Amino acid sequence: MKTRLRLLFLFLFSTALLTAQQPKKPTASEIHESIKKLNFLGSVLYVAAHPDDENTRLISYMSNEVKARTAYLSLTRGDGGQNLVGPEIRELLGVIRTQELLAARRTDGGEQLFTRANDFGYSKHPDETLAIWNKAQVLSDVVLAIRKFKPDVIINRFNHRTPGTTHGHHTSSAMLSIEAFDLVGDKSAYSNQLSSVNVWQPKRLFFNTGWWFYGSRENFEKADKTDLLKIDTGVYFPSNGLSNPEIAALSRSQHKSQGFGSTGRRGSQIEYIELIKGDLPNDKTNVFEGIDTSWNRIEGGKAIGDILYAVQDNYDFKKPSTSIPELVRAYKAIQGLENEHWKTIKTNEIKGIIADCAGLYLEATANTNHATAGSIVDLNIEVINRSDSNIVLSNIVNPNGIKIDKNLKLDNNTGFDFKETLNIKNTQQASTPYWLTKKGNLGMYTVEDKSLIGKPETPRKLNITFNLNIENFAIPFTKPIVYKTNDPVKGEVYKPFEIIPEVSAKISEKVIILDTDKQRDIEVIVKAGRDSLEGYVELAHPNNWSVYPEKQKVTITNKGQEERLIFTVIPPKEQSEGLLTPMVHIGDKVYTKELIEIDYDHIPFQTVVLPSESKIVRLDIQKRGENIGYIEGAGDVVPESLRQIGYNVAILKPEDISTENLSRFDAVVVGIRAYNTVEELNFKQQILFDYVAQGGNMIVQYNTRHRVKVDQIAPYDLTLSRDRVTDETADVKLLATNHEVLNFPNKITAQDFEGWTQERGLYFPNEWSSEFEPILSMNDKGETPKTGSLLVAKHGEGHYIYTGLSFFREFPAGVSGAYRLFANMLSLGKNDINQPNQIKN
């Protein structure tokens, strides 16, 4: 038992180190597993639509048990999802979910690939999905991914035969995979790719099915399983003390922004895959049957295999370095292979194994986590060999291609630390996700450098190459420059070394709402990326708005410091909207981008450079009441948005919900998915309902019907469903035209539903008691009307409102009508509805 706990701790500790960006430090058992993987020449590509769609059990099984090179092709980066860990949405959420996928793959041993498809939100049918995505481009990316990765086996997560029964992105991923299977071997298909890749033909394509695709376990038991392979993925790995499902759970738990923390299981766990294309294996537990996955697969491979199989069999767990001479011998032979695909893969693998067997530690750290083009950075280089192997550091090569001779004999456990300086080129581009450097559209990201398509993140350009002579043979090792510091709580902390602009600027608010024509001061934050920064700032603004002063001088002494400037914005008298962009003039250059830093413990520190824009809206709005209590849910910007239009918003923690505290609020708003994420609310519901009965307003925003943590969502019967309207331009019919919520203090018309983004709303109730009055009707094309998007019930002296309308998306986009309607919801019961002048036209 103690041994198992120790191994489990080692594995969890290793995983934690990886997610914190520290160098991998494998155990002797893990090195041996790597040698086994080195001796397997077969590949599996798993295909689905979003981060968290992947079956981590199957990916981990293929990688860790079968030893196949395994990758997950996620067509999107999950930009359209929700965020349970912070306020980031859209492209910034896509950055987070990309890194969560990479953390998952580090855990389960897979690799990660993408296409340029943008997750524009929920889609009900693949026809809609493929029209928005640009089918030809996404299909091209899928073909390219297969030609690059060269899988023997493809496994689709979703069923291509059931369009319209699930998310359109899901079905589309399977349809595109199947279509690509027939194209990848055709030289006339996407022939422009053949300058960088060769055609390829996978052997088999499967669908990862299960009883849920058949409607019930009973139906699945009765189904014809002739074309199904049955795989027990519940295997146990003594090398790390974990079962495969436990590893899979750790992998799935990396999807923290989506709340997919998972508990590991032990024991048998069956997965089924259905053959869709290719020949059916006779052994229905072996996806590689009939495929040579040994070194004999490639010309010249047999001799390499003879060396490496012996290394595997004779491995010394107490002294892995005894394998180094034969590993180096195999490395030499691999360099002579004509098969460039396997040569590249196995060269990288065996180099890592040689380094691990020698206990090699090679690291280049900068004295700062970011610098600007043209600057000089101090580097610390650490090199140590922790074995008796004959290893010499011949030289290092910096990112500018400059070779620095060393000729150091690396004796066992004798460390070398030396200082170098790096002159960063003036032409060095700022570090940022490559798919965000150019503006895309609703369905697709724009990637000008075609060599980057499919890569999970922007390749590191600032690397140090360590040229070593190991057992009298030259082997280069390339390491990215990193930043390392010590945190009093976390200990050793790593961050990527990034290039940032010499200056960046942003307006402190991304959406600025002005509900009158009175002038408003706004704050512009200018941040220096280098020392001694001087220039001036002006604001680009809509023509019918005025800004004072026209420009302001900025002087910042030290890198990393900020200067805050106040500009006065004067809106027009009529309703209007547009964009504000700070323009920083430094010498003859103008900078219009902002620097965004994403810092969460579960993913590497991220630097994103985006155009600096804030939406500014002169809003024709009236409101009643002032003080709002907000119960936070899964993370949204509704409180900040309500403050924009003049409300006093106080965040209410569950322990603060009491009759006395609630009495001071004109309305209480419950954040998105609060009933899915805040268990303590189950004990506060009656207090909230009593608040309504005594004359208060309670607005509950959408929750999913899955994992509801309260016994009663509303004071009356209310049943949540999966009903949603994904077309943000769908017609909205006003059902209760005389209801106070559509008339006071703002007159709501069809115009208020113009300009909505991503969707109308989601997870509408589909059943409710007679106390509720439906206010709106809407539906996607070809569907029946959905009337549960906004429900209002009188309860005692107050009002209870349930809404699935996506205010959490519309407010950050500055959608005027969303603000006006929400103000009416907050104002219920506070209007003098007998006074005609209360209606604002």
Side-chain angles (χ1 to χ4, degrees):
M1 180 63 179
K2 287 183 178 178
T3 300
R4 189 198 183 299
L5 289 173
R6 176 178 168 276
L7 289 169
L8 175 59
F9 171 77
L10 284 173
F11 181 83
L12 291 174
F13 184 65
S14 173
T15 302
L17 292 182
L18 287 172
T19 57
Q21 303 165 256
Q22 296 188 3
K24 185 179 179 183
K25 302 168 185 175
T27 64
S29 293
E30 290 171 330
I31 295 170
H32 188 242
E33 295 301 313
S34 298
I35 295 171
K36 292 180 184 178
K37 198 176 186 74
L38 180 65
N39 284 328
F40 192 95
L41 279 70
S43 302
V44 176
L45 181 66
Y46 199 88
V47 180
H50 311 106
D52 72 48
D53 282 346
E54 80 276 30
N55 184 339
T56 55
R57 294 182 300 275
L58 205 50
I59 290 175
S60 177
Y61 177 86
M62 290 296 170
S63 178
N64 296 305
E65 173 65 11
V66 178
K67 305 301 180 188
R69 182 176 178 238
T70 307
Y72 173 42
L73 173 60
S74 176
L75 268 59
T76 77
R77 297 176 185 268
D79 325 77
Q82 281 82 53
N83 185 358
L84 301 187
V85 299
E88 296 88 356
I89 58 173
R90 293 303 310 148
E91 65 270 5
L92 294 181
L93 176 59
V95 173
I96 291 172
R97 297 189 73 183
T98 294
Q99 291 301 320
E100 288 178 338
L101 268 180
L102 289 170
R105 298 295 79 79
R106 288 192 293 267
T107 303
D108 59 35
E111 300 176 37
Q112 188 59 52
L113 306 172
F114 290 98
T115 75
R116 289 170 290 172
N118 190 346
D119 177 8
F120 56 83
Y122 192 86
S123 173
K124 293 181 176 178
H125 199 281
D127 288 350
E128 176 197 33
T129 299
L130 296 174
I132 294 175
W133 271 355
N134 185 329
K135 178 187 174 183
Q137 288 186 12
V138 182
L139 179 58
S140 168
D141 291 358
V142 176
V143 169
L144 181 63
I146 296 172
R147 285 173 171 173
K148 280 185 176 180
F149 190 75
K150 299 189 184 306
D152 300 297
V153 174
I154 297 174
I155 303 175
N156 291 342
R157 183 62 178 128
F158 298 107
N159 192 349
H160 66 290
R161 296 162 294 201
T162 55
T165 61
T166 183
H167 198 322
H169 296 183
H170 292 170
T171 310
S172 295
S173 70
M175 294 168 65
L176 290 169
S177 174
I178 287 170
E179 192 169 346
F181 185 91
D182 294 330
L183 294 175
V184 290
D186 182 354
K187 290 186 176 181
S188 66
Y190 298 106
S191 57
N192 59 307
Q193 298 176 358
L194 300 182
S195 60
S196 59
V197 295
N198 296 320
V199 295
W200 176 253
Q201 187 55 58
K203 182 79 170 176
R204 301 180 180 109
L205 186 148
F206 296 95
F207 158 45
N208 184 190
T209 190
W211 67 262
W212 53 91
F213 287 103
Y214 289 76
S216 69
R217 294 183 186 275
E218 292 74 18
N219 290 343
F220 184 62
E221 290 301 320
K222 298 174 186 176
D224 179 8
K225 298 184 178 61
T226 302
D227 290 337
L228 268 61
L229 274 64
K230 180 179 178 181
I231 303 171
D232 187 351
T233 63
V235 294
Y236 172 69
F237 301 117
S239 60
N240 59 31
L242 292 171
S243 69
N244 186 68
E246 286 175 308
I247 295 174
L250 290 169
S251 174
R252 187 152 184 80
S253 296
Q254 301 306 314
H255 297 294
K256 299 184 189 304
S257 68
Q258 304 305 295
F260 280 121
S262 183
T263 300
R265 293 177 56 186
R266 288 143 295 280
S268 177
Q269 196 160 345
I270 304 299
E271 290 288 340
Y272 292 92
I273 56 176
E274 177 189 358
L275 183 72
I276 302 298
K277 286 182 175 289
D279 62 305
L280 185 68
N282 293 319
D283 178 359
K284 291 193 175 182
T285 65
N286 182 10
V287 299
F288 285 100
E289 185 188 73
I291 302 171
D292 189 350
T293 58
S294 72
W295 278 99
N296 294 333
R297 170 175 199 156
I298 56 177
E299 185 177 349
K302 183 181 182 307
I304 298 170
D306 290 343
I307 300 170
L308 291 176
Y309 297 133
V311 169
Q312 179 178 320
D313 293 340
N314 299 322
Y315 180 75
D316 186 343
F317 285 84
K318 292 184 178 180
K319 195 173 183 182
S321 60
T322 58
S323 298
I324 291 177
E326 289 300 282
L327 286 168
V328 172
R329 184 176 159 219
Y331 174 85
K332 293 180 188 177
I334 290 171
Q335 304 319 297
L337 290 174
E338 293 185 6
N339 187 312
E340 288 295 328
H341 175 70
W342 285 112
K343 176 183 176 180
T344 300
I345 293 167
K346 295 306 175 182
T347 292
N348 290 332
E349 288 182 11
I350 198 169
K351 281 169 61 175
I353 292 169
I354 291 170
D356 293 340
C357 286
L360 269 177
Y361 192 87
L362 309 171
E363 186 173 78
T365 57
N367 64 338
T368 178
N369 69 311
H370 51 66
T372 58
S375 62
I376 299 174
V377 176
D378 292 329
L379 302 178
N380 184 72
I381 311 294
E382 180 181 354
V383 180
I384 188 169
N385 162 35
R386 289 168 287 186
S387 73
D388 292 327
S389 295
N390 178 22
I391 302 178
V392 174
L393 174 62
S394 301
N395 58 69
I396 63 172
V397 180
N398 75 12
N400 297 328
I402 298 173
K403 183 171 71 173
I404 304 165
D405 289 329
K406 294 297 178 184
N407 295 317
L408 293 173
K409 176 114 176 20
L410 303 182
D411 294 326
N412 187 356
N413 214 29
T414 301
F416 293 90
D417 290 272
F418 42 90
K419 307 294 183 183
E420 299 291 344
T421 58
L422 173 63
N423 294 296
I424 299 173
K425 292 180 179 180
N426 290 320
T427 56
Q428 185 66 51
Q429 296 297 307
S431 306
T432 197
Y434 70 84
W435 62 95
L436 298 179
T437 56
K438 296 292 181 182
K439 190 173 181 62
N441 55 43
L442 176 63
M444 298 295 295
Y445 281 116
T446 298
V447 180
E448 292 187 335
D449 184 349
K450 303 306 179 188
S451 69
L452 296 175
I453 293 174
K455 293 184 183 296
E457 56 186 342
T458 307
R460 293 283 160 186
K461 297 289 181 65
L462 299 177
N463 304 301
I464 297 292
T465 298
F466 297 80
N467 286 310
L468 300 179
N469 189 295
I470 303 177
E471 300 296 337
N472 300 312
F473 194 79
I475 303 178
F477 293 85
T478 299
K479 301 287 183 179
I481 298 172
V482 295
Y483 172 69
K484 181 170 66 175
T485 188
N486 184 72
D487 183 274
V489 176
K490 300 175 184 177
E492 190 175 59
V493 174
Y494 280 77
K495 289 183 179 181
F497 174 63
E498 309 277 36
I499 300 301
I500 62 173
E502 65 173 337
V503 65
S504 59
K506 65 179 180 180
I507 297 170
S508 56
E509 299 166 290
K510 299 309 292 182
V511 177
I512 302 167
I513 307 293
L514 290 84
D515 56 354
T516 71
D517 61 356
K518 293 181 180 179
Q519 66 186 38
R520 166 91 171 269
D521 288 345
I522 65 166
E523 182 182 61
V524 175
I525 304 170
V526 182
K527 186 173 184 177
R530 62 168 175 83
D531 294 338
S532 304
L533 192 79
E534 289 190 11
Y536 67 92
V537 182
E538 60 181 343
L539 278 182
H541 58 83
N543 290 333
N544 57 339
W545 294 65
S546 299
V547 172
Y548 177 83
E550 184 177 322
K551 61 180 68 172
Q552 293 191 57
K553 185 179 180 181
V554 61
T555 303
I556 304 178
T557 304
N558 297 316
K559 166 187 171 181
Q561 286 186 330
E562 295 178 344
E563 185 168 335
R564 295 169 184 259
L565 308 173
I566 302 298
F567 286 84
T568 300
V569 175
I570 305 169
K573 293 188 176 298
E574 67 281 359
Q575 184 159 310
S576 173
E577 61 183 55
L579 296 175
L580 291 178
T581 295
M583 304 172 65
V584 186
H585 297 255
I586 305 294
D588 58 354
K589 296 181 179 179
V590 180
Y591 295 87
T592 60
K593 293 188 176 182
E594 67 174 301
L595 179 69
I596 301 166
E597 296 177 333
I598 301 175
D599 191 7
Y600 293 103
D601 286 344
H602 70 291
I603 60 172
F605 187 90
Q606 297 295 296
T607 298
V608 184
V609 179
L610 290 177
S612 183
E613 295 177 341
S614 288
K615 187 171 184 179
I616 189 161
V617 180
R618 162 67 173 99
L619 179 60
D620 184 5
I621 189 172
Q622 292 190 21
K623 56 188 184 295
R624 302 289 177 264
E626 295 181 355
N627 300 312
I628 308 298
Y630 197 91
I631 301 169
E632 293 182 307
D636 59 61
V637 296
V638 171
E640 293 88 339
S641 300
L642 296 180
R643 293 185 184 110
Q644 284 266 9
I645 54 174
Y647 286 105
N648 301 317
V649 182
I651 302 300
L652 275 175
K653 297 185 180 300
E655 60 268 26
D656 298 330
I657 298 174
S658 66
T659 301
E660 181 180 359
N661 283 344
L662 295 181
S663 65
R664 61 193 178 96
F665 295 115
D666 296 303
V668 171
V669 181
V670 181
I672 61 172
R673 295 180 67 176
Y675 292 150
N676 297 131
T677 58
V678 186
E679 197 162 348
E680 297 93 329
L681 289 179
N682 192 36
F683 310 109
K684 300 293 184 176
Q685 283 294 83
Q686 192 55 54
I687 298 174
L688 289 165
F689 295 159
D690 290 344
Y691 160 77
V692 177
Q694 294 162 12
N697 271 2
M698 180 178 177
I699 300 172
V700 177
Q701 298 175 86
Y702 97 92
N703 290 267
T704 67
R705 65 181 182 179
H706 182 54
R707 295 180 180 175
V708 173
K709 298 183 181 297
V710 297
D711 297 329
Q712 192 176 359
I713 288 177
Y716 307 113
D717 290 341
L718 183 74
T719 302
L720 301 181
S721 75
R722 294 184 63 84
D723 287 351
R724 62 200 301 163
V725 176
T726 62
D727 181 0
E728 64 268 33
T729 65
D731 289 339
V732 177
K733 183 179 180 182
L734 309 182
L735 297 177
T737 54
N738 295 321
H739 196 286
E740 184 180 351
V741 78
L742 293 181
N743 290 285
F744 299 95
N746 305 288
K747 179 67 174 177
I748 302 300
T749 68
Q751 187 175 353
D752 288 295
F753 293 94
E754 294 177 1
W756 284 52
T757 181
Q758 188 161 326
E759 62 197 351
R760 289 296 190 197
L762 62 170
Y763 297 107
F764 301 158
N766 63 351
E767 294 181 8
W768 50 84
S769 67
S770 60
E771 286 83 0
F772 283 103
E773 183 171 3
I775 305 300
L776 307 170
S777 174
M778 60 188 71
N779 59 273
D780 284 319
K781 184 178 179 180
E783 294 192 354
T784 58
K786 305 295 184 290
T787 58
S789 64
L790 180 58
L791 302 172
V792 181
K794 193 81 166 67
H795 181 56
E797 298 300 316
H799 295 84
Y800 175 96
I801 302 170
Y802 189 93
T803 180
L805 293 172
S806 58
F807 291 103
F808 71 101
R809 295 198 189 281
E810 311 318 317
F811 286 169
V815 177
S816 301
Y819 280 92
R820 286 163 47 84
L821 178 56
F822 209 92
N824 280 17
M825 292 156 56
L826 293 170
S827 300
L828 271 179
K830 301 173 183 62
N831 301 289
D832 185 355
I833 60 177
N834 295 316
Q835 296 296 320
N837 62 5
Q838 289 290 321
I839 301 178
K840 186 72 176 177
N841 294 307

